[in-house]
Every structure is written in structure tokens, then in C-alpha cells.
Amino acid sequence: MTRPLPGSTYRLQITPEFTLDDAVELCEYLARLGVGWVYLSPLLRAEPGSMHGYDVIDHSLIDPDRGGAKAFARFSRTARAAGMGILVDIVPNHMGVATPRLNSWWWDLLRHGRESRFAEAFDVDWDAAAGRIRIPVLGDGDDELDRLRIEGDTLAYYDNRYPIAEGTPAPEDSARDVHDRQHYELVNWRRADDELNYRRFFAVNSLAAIRVEDPEVFADSHVEIARWFREGLADGLRVDHPDGLADPRGYLDDLAELTGGAPVWVEKILEGDEQLPGNWATMGTTGYDALKDFDRVLVDARGQAGLAPSVEQPQQAACRNLQVAETQRWHDMVYRSKRAVADGILRSEVNRLARELRSDTGDEQVADALIELLAAMPVYRSYLPLGECHLRAAAAEAAAHRPDLADTIARVADALADPEHPAAIRFQQTSGMVMAKGVEDSAFYRFTTLTSLNEVGADPSEFAIDVATFHERQARRQAALPHSLTTLSTHDTKRGEDVRARITALAERPQLWTDALGTLRRRAGFGDPALENLIWQAVVGAWPASRERLHAYAEKAAREAGDSTNWIDPNTAFEDRMHAAIDKVFDDPELAAVVEQTVAAIAPAGFSNGLSAKLLQLAAPGIPDVYQGSELWEQSLVDPDNRRPVDFALRSELLQRLDDGWLPPVDEEGAAKLLVVSRTLRLRRAHPERFVRYLPVEVFGSMREHAVAFDRGGAIAVATRLPYGLESAGGWHDTTIEPAGRELVDVLTGRRFAGGSIPLSDLLDTYPVALLTAPAETDGEAS
């Protein structure tokens, strides 16, 4: 039986430390919270110790380390008994190959080469390496191959083991000679970026792409997933990285047939006004396209001038104080970052594309033309014939950057516009990698004006949106993708939602930040002004945070930015200075005081922003997803920080206190956020018919710019924006909303309001948010 679509989802990270049996114990709490469907991270067998599950090594079974098939069955029964459905994340693009012997497909491929029954499963360019697969594991020594050992039927290199092909001559040969007769070639790890001949997930050598466009590969890699739906264990799927697939539309059609039309959501990043292809068998995206609007409607646009230079005013004070040598114009930075990625860590993909195209063009400049096209692509990928306009726009921009390559770029673009050309298919698979690595994992760490804007799916050059624009975008979402997921935090976001909410408050007080940053740089500067701004904003946003967490974040951020250090050749002197600066937050009382005073000044506005963003997300069009633990303040930084254990016992205890009538203060504990989450989710679950349309609710009065309100068809959300400015002006004064003349109740506080004009000074005197509905809806589940 097909279950109705959920009113909400709740993401759980299933790991060896938090298994499906632990999730069974959590079902009662999640049901009380108001959750519609529980949304599970990948479950198939993954590399031992994997905390994320995206490195699947066996598609035929649920990971025993995560509880196994019996635990999943127990979880399914328990969740359904509690009235909840089940959504599972799946990974069709790649497999984990870090430990070859554990992946039977990869092991067979290495042993038998082109004759392997899995030769068509992996995306290998055999001719590029004389019929061998290059494995980039060797160290930097001159005699690394002499370190090989023969151990039984395997070739050993330190702790790595590889199969020896059948028919290899007797063991009196040296291990090095045996190696030369294998279907794989062990090479220096640095050669991967230029010379790898199998497609990876981004630049991760241990994640080898598979070809699910092949019907046999699809069937073999979905055998366990098919069982879930055949036996009624799952209700829907989330598809990881569809942009890596040769034919995303075809894959989704195959998935629909496999599951009997179960609902599917795709992890798809949409750029700007880009729309999800209308011919995809999907309910929508996983919500990054919604996240940016919830954040930006809470940003004070007037703060931009004080936080960073604009193109028109490059000499403003913030620019001088940060000593930034460039204007940080976002789109130029993106171009440079993407070009560096295409010519750097993903050059092996470019080289493979060039090999496929040279037979058509005969042009030795093809690789350069491809790099320019990849750098100029305005979206993650096209879906030919859909999206050819993006390719043509990239060609025009690429030719403008490189007029010396204009003719080659034109010829290459013509070939790439042919949906049937193998290079056109591969280019579409590659452009998303370049965008993700160049933007999310590079430019986001370099463009540091207001770092709450630097989030997956967002464009940091869009500093803020006004309420009218917010309403327009929500109405468009309601009309086009009413069942798409929405989110504020995920396992992939760069900062937790409440870190962003606090950082956003800096836009209301730019001078406060300019002064604090100046002091921090004088006392603990480490020689990279833009990175200093990013890291100190993270410190203030996540405070209080442990020394270990901040050290880990700073190191990852610095290496991703790539300006002063990087992953390949870390600049230890620079990193030592940076880590010393982090230590000073804990060891230098005067520096600690600057951080704590800044936090104290913006924390109240951050709390207000956090509650407002949460209500907007939960009540707006789409199906809201709540990331594990974020029903209290979510002050995580980038992964793996955002995958830390969650104290669910505390959350359950606080929820019981709320259900006993407690109205908590807005403070560090975060129980006020739990109130917002539980009451909104319960109302959506009990009365989905009150969330089926979108109408802006007009705000009247002198402080109207400080509120955003909308009616979903019987549920009216009201949220505060720009709270510091509101407080400085003395509060709401004469500001009101005027819903239709009927009695309403705020489900957060239980207070009732007569129809007609409702003063916001009354409605929002306890919390900066309110959720109004008809009084009967406060009974039972909605309370």
C-alpha cells in the first residue's frame, strides 16, 4: 500500500555507533516530536568504520555494522506502528574501493581486467593505460615498487592487498615483476589528478564510479533496494549525486519501475533561477534551493557596505581593515576556482574527455578548451537536449576569456551539444564535479564577506532578499514543487543553521564586527586576511566550541580555500600560526574576552534569527526536513563536525516538559526551538490540509519591515526579521497583521486572539515567532 506523502522528514545518520537498533529506540520520541517519515542515511554495506555510508562495498545486503537486515525490519515495524514512514538515502553513482578485497566487484576487476564479469560495471578507460587500471597508492620514494611483497595469492604494499591474476608466473619472480604482469598498475598517489583512468566521485580515489545506465549493473546494484519495496520495508528514496550519472532521467525511470512508483527526492543543486527538469520521475530536490531564501530574508541588506567592498566602492573601510588585495567579486572567484580544479585535481577527467574529442577535432588545444568551458558553466550540468543554452552560454564566456581558443571552443561546444556523443555525456557528468569542487569546496572558503551566505546551493553574491522577493519565491515553489524537501541543515552543510543565524546578525552590526575583527587580527593574525575573517566568524558563530573542534575546522577550511596551504602540500609554517591563533582563544584571556563580548552582543539576535528561520522552513511550501538534533540549537561546523552524536535523551526530556505546559525562555538551552519544531510538525501531521497554498500576509505599521508572515491555508506563520534594529527602535509600536475575522490561537503559546487586527507587540511578546490557526487545532496532536 502506498503511504501518503509525509508532512515532514527527520534525518538520522545510521552508523556503526548509532545503529538501526538505536533508531528503533528513538521511534517513540520522533513520533511525539511530530515527524512524518524517518529519513535514513545510506544502509548498504560500507567500508568498515565508515561514519557516512556513501562508500558502499556490497549492494546485496544492509551493513551488519549498522544493524543488518533484521534490525532494519525491526525498525520498519516500529516506525510504522508509531505512524511514521521510511525514506532511505541511496548511492547509485559509485562504490567504495579503499579496501579492494572487501569489494567483490572491484577485486574481480583487478584480478581479471577486461575479462572480468564486472568490467562493464566500472567506468574505466582501458586504452589510456595499455589495458591496465591505475591505482594511485604509492608513496614518494624512488623505489616504492621494490616494497611490494607476495603474500599467498595477493600482492602486498604495506597494509594494502591486491589480487594476483591467474596464470601469473611462479613466485621466484620478484614482486615487482609480478606487479608488471597484473591488470592494474600501482602508481604514485600524486599521479591521480592527471593520469587516473577510472571515473571517481569528485577527486576521491577510493570511490570508483559505476555505470548504472547498464541494465545488468542497475539490477545488480539495486537488488537489496528492490527487496525493501517488495517486502514493504521502505516508502521512498533519496538519490545521492544524480548529476554523476550518464542518464539521470533514465535512471529515475528505472528506479520508478523497480519501486512501483515510490516517491523519490534527488540531491540536486539548482543555480539561480534554474528549474528541475520537468521530465524527471521525482518529487523534487533535497532542499538546498529553499535554504538560501530562509537565510537571506533575515539578512539586513544595509550591512553589506560595512562588511566588505563592492565592485563599485572598492575602497571602503572594511576593505582597508581586511587588507584584501582584490574586490572578491564572486563570479570571478568562481571562474578562477573552477578553472584551477579542472586543470588540477580533476585534470584526469579533462584528459579523458580530450581523448574522446580529438578523434573528431584533431585539435591539440582541446583540453584547454574543455577547461575553459567547464570553468564557465553557469550550472552544475545540462541534461541534453535540455540545458543546451547553458552550454552555449559557457562557450561564449569561455571564448571571451580565451579569444586565442575561440575556434577550438566553438568546435568542442558543437560536439558537446550532441546528446548522443560519448564526450557530451561525459562532459555533463564532469561539469558537476568541477562546480562542486570549485565552488562548495574552494570559493566558499575564500569569499568571506558574510559567511552565513556561503552555503550549499546558494550564491554568496546575493547578500539579502526583501520580504516581497521571499513571498514570490515561496509562491513559485508552491506552484511548481509543492512536495520538494526543504532544509536548513544537512550532513553536507558548511555550517549548522544556528551558526548561520548568529553570523547573519553581524549584518545588522557591521561596525561591531569590523572592530572585533581588527582586534582579533592584531592579537592573533596569521597572514591570510580573508581566511582570518572566515575562521573568526566561525568561532563566533559556533561559540562555545571545544579547542579540538575549532582546530579541525580551521585546518579543513584553510586547506579547502587553498590560498595559504592545501591538501596536497600543506604549508606547515602557516598552519602552525593558524593553530596558534585558535589556541589563543582558550589561552589568552584578552582574546577570549573579545570573542565572548562579540558573542554576547549578537547572541540574542542570533537566537531570534534561529527561531525565525526554523519556523519559516517548517511552515513554508515543501516538505520540511529536520536534521538530527537540530530541534535544539544546531551549532555544528562542516563535516565531520555535523555528524557528532546527538543527546536524544535530553531532547526527549525537554519535549516532555513542553508537553506538561512549560514555556521555556529563549536562551542557550534551545528548548524554545524544540517548542517551535514540535508544534509545527504536529500541526502539519494532524492537519495537512492547512498547508496546501501560499498567500502573503500583509504587515501594517511603522515596523513592518521587521516581520514576514504568510498563510498556508489555515496556518499562519509570523516571524521576526532584523531583530537588533527592531529593539533599537523600541519594539513593534503600531505594527499589526490583520487576518480574516475569526478567532485564532498561537500553537506555540496557547494564547488566543480575536479576529481582525492583531498587534505584533502582543503576538510576539513571548517569542519572536508565532504559528496561528483555528482554536480546535490546538487539541490533540497539534498541541
Side-chain angles (χ1 to χ4, degrees):
M1 183 180 73
T2 302
R3 297 181 70 87
L5 289 173
S8 66
T9 62
Y10 189 100
R11 170 80 175 208
L12 285 179
Q13 295 296 116
I14 304 299
T15 73
E17 297 176 2
F18 184 89
T19 69
L20 287 161
D21 279 319
D22 294 308
V24 168
E25 299 302 314
L26 201 60
C27 283
E28 184 269 341
Y29 163 71
L30 296 179
R32 285 195 293 126
L33 187 64
V35 171
W37 287 11
V38 187
Y39 168 15
L40 304 176
S41 62
L43 298 179
L44 297 179
R45 189 180 184 192
E47 282 279 348
S50 171
M51 297 302 289
H52 50 76
Y54 290 98
D55 45 0
V56 173
I57 59 174
D58 189 341
H59 291 106
S60 69
L61 76 162
I62 292 176
D63 196 340
D65 290 345
R66 288 170 164 73
K70 291 183 178 179
F72 185 46
R74 287 191 292 272
F75 173 78
S76 182
R77 289 193 301 270
T78 306
R80 285 193 160 78
M84 298 183 294
I86 299 165
L87 171 65
V88 185
D89 195 349
I90 62 172
V91 191
N93 179 71
H94 52 267
M95 294 186 76
V97 297
T99 313
R101 186 154 228 164
L102 296 180
N103 185 327
S104 62
W105 292 20
W106 189 248
W107 189 259
D108 193 83
L109 184 75
L110 297 184
R111 181 183 291 278
H112 299 290
R114 280 176 154 164
E115 301 306 313
S116 167
R117 65 172 293 234
F118 299 106
E120 294 302 312
F122 295 96
D123 193 354
V124 180
D125 185 0
W126 295 98
D127 293 337
R132 302 174 78 186
I133 307 170
R134 291 189 176 124
I135 309 297
V137 295
L138 298 183
D140 289 333
D142 295 332
D143 58 351
E144 291 301 302
L145 286 175
D146 292 332
R147 300 178 186 273
L148 297 176
R149 309 181 310 277
I150 296 173
E151 294 186 358
D153 62 349
T154 69
L155 200 59
Y157 176 71
Y158 292 100
D159 293 334
N160 301 291
R161 301 293 183 274
Y162 304 94
I164 295 177
E166 298 173 2
T168 298
E172 60 261 18
D173 289 332
S174 72
R176 182 169 188 156
D177 289 339
V178 170
H179 165 264
D180 291 343
R181 296 183 176 97
Q182 302 311 305
H183 297 290
Y184 52 86
E185 178 188 8
L186 305 184
V187 300
N188 181 269
W189 65 278
R190 295 177 185 272
R191 292 174 60 184
D193 294 348
D194 279 333
E195 301 177 43
L196 204 69
N197 65 327
Y198 63 89
R199 185 166 58 88
R200 304 167 287 178
F201 171 71
F202 297 170
V204 184
N205 299 333
S206 60
L207 296 176
I210 60 174
R211 300 177 60 253
V212 290
E213 65 271 23
D214 182 298
E216 186 174 349
V217 177
F218 176 87
D220 288 346
S221 61
H222 288 69
V223 61
E224 172 66 7
I225 296 167
R227 183 182 73 85
W228 301 344
F229 290 90
R230 192 169 58 249
E231 298 182 9
L233 297 170
D235 300 295
L237 297 171
R238 179 261 198 192
V239 174
D240 181 66
H241 190 48
D243 280 351
L245 307 180
D247 179 12
R249 177 190 175 187
Y251 172 77
L252 291 171
D253 288 342
D254 292 342
L255 202 60
E257 183 176 353
L258 180 88
T259 64
V264 169
W265 289 266
V266 291
E267 185 212 23
K268 169 60 191 167
I269 310 300
L270 299 171
E271 289 290 305
D273 293 330
E274 182 188 7
Q275 299 297 305
L276 195 65
N279 57 4
W280 282 15
T282 179
M283 306 308 298
T285 74
T286 53
Y288 292 118
D289 43 305
L291 179 155
K292 60 187 178 185
D293 296 332
F294 303 133
D295 280 354
R296 277 159 179 71
V297 76
L298 303 178
V299 176
D300 189 343
R302 293 163 294 197
Q304 185 173 25
L307 289 173
S310 67
V311 175
E312 293 76 23
Q313 297 171 298
Q315 300 301 319
Q316 290 182 12
C319 181
R320 290 195 300 272
N321 291 343
L322 291 175
Q323 301 178 22
V324 177
E326 59 174 17
T327 64
Q328 296 191 63
R329 185 169 179 266
W330 171 245
H331 296 291
D332 286 346
M333 184 178 288
V334 166
Y335 167 78
R336 292 192 301 274
S337 296
K338 289 174 65 180
R339 198 192 188 291
V341 165
D343 198 22
I345 60 174
L346 293 179
R347 181 62 191 247
S348 61
E349 299 294 337
V350 172
N351 290 342
R352 186 170 179 181
L353 275 166
R355 289 192 292 271
E356 293 183 348
L357 282 168
R358 282 197 191 107
S359 60
D360 291 351
T361 66
D363 193 330
E364 291 302 315
Q365 293 182 311
V366 164
D368 282 347
L370 285 164
I371 289 170
E372 294 296 337
L373 284 165
L374 289 165
M377 276 292 288
V379 295
Y380 275 69
R381 67 169 281 174
S382 57
Y383 306 94
L384 296 176
L386 298 176
E388 183 181 343
C389 59
H390 299 307
L391 176 63
R392 296 301 182 185
E397 183 174 339
H401 279 290
R402 292 288 304 275
D404 58 311
L405 289 177
D407 290 343
T408 303
I409 288 170
R411 287 194 297 272
V412 169
D414 286 343
L416 296 180
D418 177 2
E420 303 302 320
H421 197 298
I425 296 171
R426 188 167 302 284
F427 182 86
Q428 292 175 87
Q429 294 174 281
T430 304
S431 62
M433 298 189 214
V434 174
M435 178 74 87
K437 296 304 296 181
V439 177
E440 298 172 31
D441 294 343
S442 180
F444 274 177
Y445 292 90
R446 295 175 177 175
F447 191 86
T448 63
T449 303
L450 185 68
T451 57
S452 59
L453 305 178
N454 299 14
E455 199 46 86
V456 180
D459 178 350
S461 66
E462 183 179 58
F463 190 82
I465 61 174
D466 59 22
V467 173
T469 302
F470 177 82
H471 287 319
E472 290 170 7
R473 293 182 181 179
Q474 299 311 307
R476 196 157 57 235
R477 177 175 299 277
Q478 176 65 33
L481 290 170
H483 305 303
S484 193
L485 294 183
T486 68
T487 189
L488 283 180
S489 296
T490 75
H491 61 287
D492 277 335
T493 42
K494 302 301 181 185
R495 295 158 192 82
E497 58 202 58
D498 298 305
V499 175
R500 299 199 309 275
R502 186 183 289 174
I503 292 172
T504 287
L506 296 175
E508 286 199 83
R509 306 192 66 180
Q511 191 60 51
L512 172 78
W513 182 242
T514 299
D515 293 344
L517 183 60
T519 302
L520 292 166
R521 291 196 65 239
R522 285 191 298 274
R523 296 191 66 87
F526 45 87
D528 185 332
L531 183 66
E532 289 168 358
N533 193 20
L534 179 135
I535 288 176
W536 290 123
Q537 286 190 25
V539 170
V540 167
W543 195 260
S546 70
R547 189 189 302 253
E548 293 74 20
R549 288 178 60 205
L550 295 181
H551 275 303
Y553 175 77
E555 183 169 289
K556 180 170 183 174
R559 292 182 180 180
E560 296 282 44
D563 287 330
S564 298
T565 187
N566 58 63
W567 292 107
I568 303 298
D569 294 300
N571 182 335
T572 55
F574 171 81
E575 292 188 3
D576 286 347
R577 295 195 303 272
M578 177 183 70
H579 286 301
I582 295 296
D583 282 331
K584 286 184 179 181
V585 178
F586 300 91
D587 301 334
D588 180 339
E590 293 186 26
L591 194 76
V594 174
V595 170
E596 290 170 355
Q597 289 164 9
T598 305
V599 170
I602 63 172
F607 291 149
S608 178
N609 288 340
L611 294 179
S612 290
K614 201 66 195 173
L615 179 65
L616 293 177
Q617 183 236 342
L618 296 179
I623 297 172
D625 175 53
V626 177
Y627 185 65
Q628 62 175 27
S630 66
E631 60 268 37
L632 296 184
W633 299 129
E634 171 52 285
Q635 292 181 292
S636 297
L637 296 166
V638 72
D639 70 279
D641 192 61
N642 56 17
R643 297 170 185 170
R644 289 171 295 144
V646 175
D647 187 346
F648 286 110
L650 171 64
R651 286 157 175 79
S652 181
E653 177 188 340
L654 291 174
L655 182 59
Q656 186 59 57
R657 291 179 63 191
L658 295 177
D659 290 344
D660 290 340
W662 177 46
L663 287 181
V666 181
D667 61 12
E668 291 81 2
E669 187 173 42
K673 188 180 182 190
L674 180 60
L675 179 71
V676 171
V677 172
S678 61
R679 275 39 182 175
T680 310
L681 294 190
R682 291 177 182 182
L683 186 62
R684 290 194 72 132
R685 183 174 64 185
H687 294 282
E689 75 280 0
R690 298 192 179 273
F691 294 86
V692 295
R693 66 178 186 178
Y694 187 87
L695 291 174
V697 171
E698 189 168 0
V699 182
F700 301 92
S702 57
M703 295 291 107
R704 59 185 177 275
E705 75 160 342
H706 292 277
V708 56
F710 52 80
D711 184 347
R712 292 299 318 285
I716 299 173
V718 184
T720 299
R721 59 191 298 269
L722 316 184
Y724 179 75
L726 177 67
E727 181 184 23
S728 299
W732 290 107
H733 298 294
D734 59 345
T735 308
T736 64
I737 59 170
E738 299 185 6
R742 65 184 189 277
E743 187 180 38
L744 296 169
V745 64
D746 176 11
V747 300
L748 304 182
T749 63
R751 293 179 60 198
R752 297 187 178 224
F753 298 87
S757 181
I758 300 177
L760 294 194
S761 57
D762 290 343
L763 179 63
L764 303 179
D765 66 344
T766 304
Y767 299 116
V769 294
L771 182 61
L772 298 168
T773 192
E777 295 357 297
T778 61
D779 298 331
E781 279 203 36
S783 63

Coordinates of all heavy atoms in Angstrom, one line a residue, residues 9-15 18 26 29-30 33 39-41 51 487 489-491 497 614 625-636 640-648 651 673:
T9 N 10.1 15.2 7.3 CA 11.0 14.1 7.5 C 12.0 14.5 8.6 O 12.2 15.7 8.9 CB 11.8 13.8 6.2 OG1 12.6 15.0 5.8 CG2 10.8 13.5 5.0
Y10 N 12.7 13.5 9.1 CA 13.7 13.7 10.1 C 14.9 12.8 9.8 O 14.8 11.6 9.7 CB 13.2 13.3 11.5 CG 14.1 13.7 12.7 CD1 13.8 14.8 13.4 CD2 15.2 12.9 13.0 CE1 14.6 15.1 14.5 CE2 16.0 13.2 14.1 CZ 15.7 14.4 14.8 OH 16.5 14.7 15.9
R11 N 16.0 13.4 9.5 CA 17.2 12.7 9.0 C 18.0 12.1 10.2 O 18.4 12.9 11.1 CB 18.1 13.7 8.2 CG 19.5 13.1 7.9 CD 19.5 12.2 6.7 NE 20.9 11.8 6.4 CZ 21.3 11.5 5.1 NH1 20.4 11.4 4.2 NH2 22.5 11.1 4.9
L12 N 18.3 10.8 10.1 CA 19.1 10.1 11.1 C 20.3 9.6 10.4 O 20.3 9.0 9.3 CB 18.4 9.0 11.7 CG 17.3 9.3 12.7 CD1 16.7 7.9 13.2 CD2 17.9 10.0 13.9
Q13 N 21.5 9.8 11.0 CA 22.8 9.3 10.5 C 23.0 7.9 11.1 O 23.3 7.8 12.3 CB 23.9 10.2 10.8 CG 23.9 11.5 10.1 CD 24.0 11.4 8.6 OE1 23.0 11.8 7.9 NE2 25.1 10.9 8.1
I14 N 22.7 6.8 10.4 CA 22.9 5.5 10.9 C 24.4 5.1 10.7 O 24.9 5.1 9.6 CB 22.0 4.5 10.1 CG1 20.5 5.0 10.2 CG2 22.2 3.1 10.7 CD1 20.0 5.0 11.6
T15 N 25.0 4.8 11.8 CA 26.5 4.5 11.7 C 26.8 3.2 12.6 O 25.9 2.7 13.2 CB 27.3 5.7 12.4 OG1 27.0 5.7 13.8 CG2 26.8 7.0 11.8
F18 N 25.7 4.4 15.9 CA 24.3 4.6 16.1 C 23.6 3.8 15.1 O 23.4 4.2 13.9 CB 24.0 6.1 16.0 CG 22.5 6.4 16.2 CD1 22.1 6.7 17.5 CD2 21.6 6.4 15.2 CE1 20.8 7.0 17.8 CE2 20.2 6.6 15.5 CZ 19.8 6.9 16.8
L26 N 14.5 5.1 19.2 CA 14.2 6.5 19.1 C 12.8 6.8 18.5 O 12.3 7.9 18.5 CB 15.2 7.1 18.1 CG 15.5 8.6 18.2 CD1 15.9 9.1 19.6 CD2 16.5 9.0 17.2
Y29 N 10.1 8.8 20.5 CA 10.4 10.2 20.6 C 10.1 10.9 19.3 O 9.5 12.0 19.3 CB 11.9 10.4 21.0 CG 12.4 11.8 20.7 CD1 12.0 12.9 21.5 CD2 13.2 12.1 19.7 CE1 12.4 14.2 21.2 CE2 13.7 13.4 19.4 CZ 13.3 14.4 20.2 OH 13.7 15.7 19.9
L30 N 10.5 10.4 18.2 CA 10.3 11.0 16.9 C 8.8 11.1 16.6 O 8.3 12.2 16.1 CB 11.0 10.2 15.8 CG 12.5 10.2 15.9 CD1 13.1 9.4 14.7 CD2 13.1 11.6 15.8
L33 N 7.6 14.0 18.6 CA 8.0 15.2 18.0 C 7.1 15.7 16.9 O 7.0 16.9 16.7 CB 9.5 15.0 17.5 CG 10.2 16.3 17.0 CD1 10.4 17.3 18.2 CD2 11.6 15.9 16.4
Y39 N 14.1 9.6 7.9 CA 14.9 9.7 6.7 C 16.3 9.2 7.1 O 17.0 9.8 7.9 CB 14.9 11.1 6.3 CG 15.8 11.7 5.2 CD1 16.6 10.9 4.4 CD2 15.9 13.1 5.1 CE1 17.4 11.4 3.4 CE2 16.8 13.6 4.2 CZ 17.5 12.8 3.3 OH 18.3 13.4 2.4
L40 N 16.7 8.0 6.6 CA 17.9 7.3 7.0 C 19.0 7.5 6.0 O 18.8 7.5 4.8 CB 17.6 5.8 7.1 CG 16.5 5.4 8.0 CD1 16.3 3.9 7.9 CD2 16.7 5.8 9.5
S41 N 20.2 7.7 6.6 CA 21.4 7.8 5.7 C 21.6 6.4 5.1 O 21.0 5.4 5.4 CB 22.6 8.2 6.6 OG 22.8 7.2 7.6
M51 N 31.5 6.3 8.7 CA 30.6 7.0 9.5 C 29.5 7.7 8.7 O 28.6 8.3 9.2 CB 31.3 8.1 10.4 CG 32.2 7.5 11.4 SD 31.4 6.3 12.5 CE 30.5 7.5 13.5
T487 N 15.1 22.4 3.7 CA 16.1 22.1 4.7 C 16.8 23.3 5.3 O 16.8 24.4 4.6 CB 17.2 21.1 4.2 OG1 18.0 20.6 5.3 CG2 18.1 21.7 3.2
S489 N 19.7 22.4 7.7 CA 20.9 21.8 8.0 C 20.9 20.4 7.4 O 19.8 19.7 7.4 CB 21.2 21.7 9.5 OG 21.3 22.9 10.1
T490 N 22.1 19.9 6.9 CA 22.2 18.5 6.5 C 23.6 18.0 6.9 O 24.4 18.8 7.5 CB 22.1 18.4 4.9 OG1 23.3 18.9 4.3 CG2 20.9 19.2 4.4
H491 N 23.9 16.8 6.5 CA 25.2 16.3 6.7 C 26.3 16.9 5.8 O 27.5 16.7 6.0 CB 25.2 14.7 6.5 CG 24.9 14.4 5.1 ND1 23.6 14.4 4.6 CD2 25.6 13.9 4.1 CE1 23.6 14.1 3.4 NE2 24.8 13.7 3.0
E497 N 22.6 25.4 11.1 CA 21.6 26.5 10.8 C 21.7 27.6 11.9 O 21.6 28.8 11.6 CB 20.2 26.0 10.8 CG 19.8 25.3 12.0 CD 18.6 24.3 11.8 OE1 18.8 23.4 10.9 OE2 17.6 24.5 12.4
K614 N 13.7 28.7 11.5 CA 13.2 27.4 11.6 C 11.7 27.4 11.4 O 11.1 26.5 10.7 CB 13.4 26.9 13.1 CG 13.3 25.4 13.2 CD 14.4 24.7 12.3 CE 14.2 23.3 12.1 NZ 15.2 22.7 11.1
D625 N 12.5 19.0 6.1 CA 13.4 18.0 6.8 C 14.1 18.6 8.0 O 14.6 19.8 7.9 CB 14.4 17.5 5.8 CG 15.4 16.5 6.4 OD1 14.9 15.6 7.0 OD2 16.6 16.8 6.3
V626 N 14.1 17.9 9.0 CA 14.8 18.3 10.2 C 16.0 17.4 10.4 O 15.9 16.2 10.5 CB 13.9 18.2 11.5 CG1 14.7 18.5 12.8 CG2 12.7 19.0 11.3
Y627 N 17.2 18.0 10.4 CA 18.4 17.2 10.5 C 18.6 16.8 12.0 O 18.3 17.5 12.9 CB 19.7 18.0 10.1 CG 20.9 17.2 10.1 CD1 21.1 16.1 9.3 CD2 22.0 17.5 11.0 CE1 22.3 15.4 9.3 CE2 23.2 16.8 11.0 CZ 23.3 15.7 10.2 OH 24.5 15.0 10.2
Q628 N 19.1 15.6 12.2 CA 19.2 15.0 13.5 C 19.7 16.0 14.6 O 20.8 16.6 14.4 CB 20.0 13.7 13.5 CG 21.5 13.9 13.1 CD 22.3 12.6 13.3 OE1 21.7 11.5 13.2 NE2 23.6 12.8 13.5
G629 N 19.0 16.2 15.6 CA 19.4 17.0 16.7 C 19.1 18.5 16.6 O 19.2 19.3 17.5
S630 N 18.7 18.9 15.4 CA 18.6 20.4 15.1 C 17.3 20.9 15.7 O 17.0 22.1 15.5 CB 18.7 20.7 13.7 OG 17.7 20.1 12.9
E631 N 16.5 20.1 16.4 CA 15.4 20.6 17.1 C 15.8 21.5 18.3 O 15.0 22.2 18.9 CB 14.4 19.5 17.5 CG 15.0 18.5 18.4 CD 15.5 17.3 17.6 OE1 16.1 17.5 16.6 OE2 15.4 16.1 18.1
L632 N 17.0 21.3 18.8 CA 17.7 22.3 19.6 C 18.7 23.0 18.8 O 18.8 22.8 17.6 CB 18.4 21.6 20.8 CG 17.5 20.8 21.8 CD1 18.4 20.2 22.9 CD2 16.4 21.6 22.3
W633 N 19.4 24.0 19.4 CA 20.3 24.8 18.6 C 21.3 23.9 17.9 O 21.9 23.0 18.5 CB 21.1 25.8 19.5 CG 20.3 26.8 20.2 CD1 20.3 27.0 21.6 CD2 19.3 27.7 19.7 NE1 19.4 28.0 21.9 CE2 18.8 28.4 20.8 CE3 18.7 27.9 18.4 CZ2 17.8 29.4 20.6 CZ3 17.8 28.8 18.3 CH2 17.3 29.6 19.4
E634 N 21.5 24.1 16.6 CA 22.4 23.4 15.7 C 23.6 24.2 15.5 O 23.6 25.1 14.5 CB 21.7 23.0 14.4 CG 22.6 22.3 13.4 CD 23.4 21.2 13.9 OE1 24.4 21.5 14.6 OE2 23.1 20.0 13.6
Q635 N 24.7 24.1 16.3 CA 25.8 24.9 16.2 C 27.1 24.1 15.7 O 28.2 24.4 16.1 CB 26.1 25.6 17.5 CG 25.0 26.6 17.9 CD 25.3 27.3 19.2 OE1 25.2 26.7 20.2 NE2 25.6 28.6 19.1
S636 N 26.8 23.2 14.7 CA 27.9 22.4 14.1 C 28.6 23.2 13.1 O 28.0 24.2 12.5 CB 27.3 21.1 13.5 OG 26.7 20.3 14.5
P640 N 33.4 16.5 9.5 CA 32.6 15.6 10.2 C 32.0 16.2 11.5 O 31.3 15.5 12.3 CB 33.5 14.5 10.6 CG 34.9 15.1 10.8 CD 34.9 16.3 9.8
D641 N 32.2 17.5 11.8 CA 31.6 18.1 13.0 C 30.1 17.9 13.1 O 29.6 17.8 14.2 CB 32.0 19.6 13.0 CG 31.8 20.2 14.4 OD1 32.4 19.7 15.4 OD2 31.0 21.1 14.5
N642 N 29.4 18.0 11.9 CA 28.0 17.9 12.0 C 27.4 16.5 12.0 O 26.2 16.3 11.9 CB 27.4 18.6 10.7 CG 27.9 18.1 9.4 OD1 28.5 17.0 9.4 ND2 27.7 18.9 8.4
R643 N 28.3 15.5 12.3 CA 27.9 14.1 12.4 C 28.2 13.6 13.8 O 28.3 12.4 14.1 CB 28.6 13.2 11.4 CG 28.2 13.6 10.0 CD 29.0 12.9 8.9 NE 28.6 13.5 7.6 CZ 29.3 13.2 6.5 NH1 30.4 12.4 6.5 NH2 28.9 13.7 5.3
R644 N 28.4 14.6 14.8 CA 28.6 14.2 16.2 C 27.4 13.5 16.8 O 26.3 13.7 16.3 CB 29.0 15.4 17.0 CG 30.4 16.0 16.7 CD 30.6 17.4 17.3 NE 29.6 18.3 16.8 CZ 29.1 19.3 17.6 NH1 29.3 19.4 18.8 NH2 28.2 20.2 17.0
P645 N 27.6 12.7 17.8 CA 26.5 12.1 18.5 C 25.5 13.1 19.0 O 25.9 14.2 19.4 CB 27.1 11.3 19.6 CG 28.5 11.1 19.2 CD 28.9 12.3 18.4
V646 N 24.2 12.7 19.0 CA 23.1 13.6 19.5 C 22.6 13.1 20.8 O 22.4 11.9 21.0 CB 22.0 13.6 18.4 CG1 20.8 14.5 19.0 CG2 22.5 14.2 17.1
D647 N 22.4 14.0 21.7 CA 21.8 13.6 23.0 C 20.3 13.6 22.9 O 19.6 14.6 23.2 CB 22.3 14.6 24.1 CG 21.8 14.2 25.5 OD1 21.0 13.3 25.6 OD2 22.4 14.8 26.5
F648 N 19.8 12.5 22.5 CA 18.3 12.3 22.3 C 17.6 12.2 23.6 O 16.4 12.6 23.7 CB 18.0 11.1 21.4 CG 18.3 11.4 20.0 CD1 19.4 10.7 19.4 CD2 17.6 12.3 19.2 CE1 19.7 10.9 18.0 CE2 17.9 12.5 17.9 CZ 18.9 11.8 17.3
R651 N 16.7 15.7 24.6 CA 15.6 16.2 23.8 C 14.3 15.6 24.2 O 13.2 16.3 24.2 CB 15.9 16.0 22.3 CG 17.0 16.9 21.8 CD 17.8 16.4 20.6 NE 18.7 17.4 20.1 CZ 19.9 17.6 20.6 NH1 20.3 16.9 21.7 NH2 20.7 18.5 20.1
K673 N 13.3 26.4 20.7 CA 13.4 25.9 19.3 C 12.7 24.6 19.2 O 11.9 24.3 18.3 CB 14.8 25.8 18.8 CG 14.9 25.4 17.3 CD 16.3 25.3 16.9 CE 16.4 25.0 15.4 NZ 17.8 24.7 15.0

